[in-house]
Amino acid sequence: MSLTARALLLDMDGTLVNSDAVVERCWRRWAAEQGLDAERVLAIAHGRQAHATIAALFPDRPVERNLADNQRMLEAETTDLDGVVPVPGAPAFMASLTGLPHALVTSADEALARARMGAAGLPLPEIRVTAEHVGASKPDPEGFLKGAAELGFTPADCIAFEDSEAGIAAGRAAGMRVIGVGPRAATHAPDVHVQDLEQVHVEALPDGTLRVHVQD
C-alpha cells in the first residue's frame, strides 16, 4: 500500500533509534528509588517527557520535584549510550529523505537527541522539535503542530512516524495520519503499522509530494 504526503514528522526513540535498553535502565533505577513497580512505570514511560510520566504516577507531587527528576534522568540518559542502535531500516530510510521535507519531533532534549542519533549513526534532520521547544509533552499535539508549521505544511499534509501510545495519540490529535513503528505501536491503532523501517520506502514525485510505500 502507499500514502501520499507533503512532509514527514519523525519521532526518535523506538521509531528511528532503539534506545529501549537505556530507557529501561534509567526508569527501573528511578522506580526502585520511589518504591514503585518498574513494570507499571515502564508501561507509561515511553514516548513522553519524564516529568509527564512522573506526574501521571504522582498527581499531587510538586512540579518542581518532577522537573528536577526530569533533568537528572536526561543527564543520565545522555551519557548512557550502551545498546543504542538504529531501528532496522533506519539508516537507508533517513538517507532517502535527504533534501525532502521532514523533521524530528521528539520528547528528548537537543543534547539527548544529538547523542542518540549520533550513537545510532543517523543524520540529524535540519528541523527539530525537541523538549525545549514545547510547553506540553506528548500526547499533547504541540510538538507535531510546531514541526508541520516549521516545514510550512498543514497537519493534514503530514505523516507522523511513531512507536508509542503517547506519540500516536499526539499525531492523531494534531490531525495527521500516523504510521506506527515496532511492537508497541501495534496495539494503539495507527493508520498503518510496520515492524520496522525496512518495510517503508519514500518516493519523491515530480509535483513535490512524497509517496510512502509500505510493504506487507
Side-chain angles (χ1 to χ4, degrees):
M1 68 167 297
S2 64
L3 302 172
T4 57
R6 289 284 182 180
L8 306 182
L9 299 178
L10 315 172
D11 173 53
M12 181 178 70
D13 293 302
T15 302
L16 300 174
V17 174
N18 183 345
S19 56
D20 283 2
V22 181
V23 171
E24 292 202 6
R25 278 196 296 274
C26 289
W27 278 109
R28 286 185 186 281
R29 185 164 55 242
W30 182 86
E33 292 171 357
Q34 309 302 320
L36 295 176
D37 176 65
E39 299 308 320
R40 177 188 168 213
V41 174
L42 286 167
I44 65 168
H46 292 283
R48 64 178 88 196
Q49 294 182 42
H51 66 80
T53 297
I54 297 169
L57 293 163
F58 294 117
D60 299 323
R61 200 171 190 249
V63 172
E64 292 76 16
R65 282 190 65 193
N66 296 349
L67 292 174
D69 278 7
N70 186 99
Q71 186 58 36
R72 184 162 57 95
M73 293 185 74
L74 279 174
E75 290 169 359
E77 289 185 84
T78 301
T79 57
D80 183 356
L81 300 174
D82 186 26
V84 175
V85 295
V87 165
F93 174 76
M94 291 301 291
S96 75
L97 298 186
T98 302
L100 302 181
H102 68 288
L104 190 72
V105 180
T106 175
S107 295
D109 66 2
E110 178 76 14
L112 183 55
R114 285 184 176 276
R116 285 191 175 156
M117 292 290 279
L122 299 175
L124 265 178
E126 182 178 342
I127 295 178
R128 301 182 292 278
V129 181
T130 58
E132 298 95 331
H133 302 128
V134 297
S137 172
K138 298 172 184 177
D140 191 281
E142 181 183 1
F144 282 120
L145 293 173
K146 284 195 169 183
E150 285 203 41
L151 289 168
F153 297 104
T154 66
D157 282 332
C158 300
I159 294 175
F161 285 72
E162 269 288 356
D163 74 300
S164 69
E165 180 179 13
I168 291 169
R172 285 192 178 284
M176 299 175 184
R177 291 156 293 164
V178 180
I179 293 180
V181 180
R184 274 191 297 272
T187 58
H188 300 299
D191 295 283
V192 178
H193 177 255
V194 296
Q195 290 300 321
D196 56 47
L197 293 173
E198 290 184 342
Q199 290 179 249
V200 181
H201 170 69
V202 179
E203 175 189 9
L205 301 179
D207 65 355
T209 59
L210 308 178
R211 181 168 289 153
V212 181
H213 299 278
V214 179
Q215 300 173 347
D216 293 330

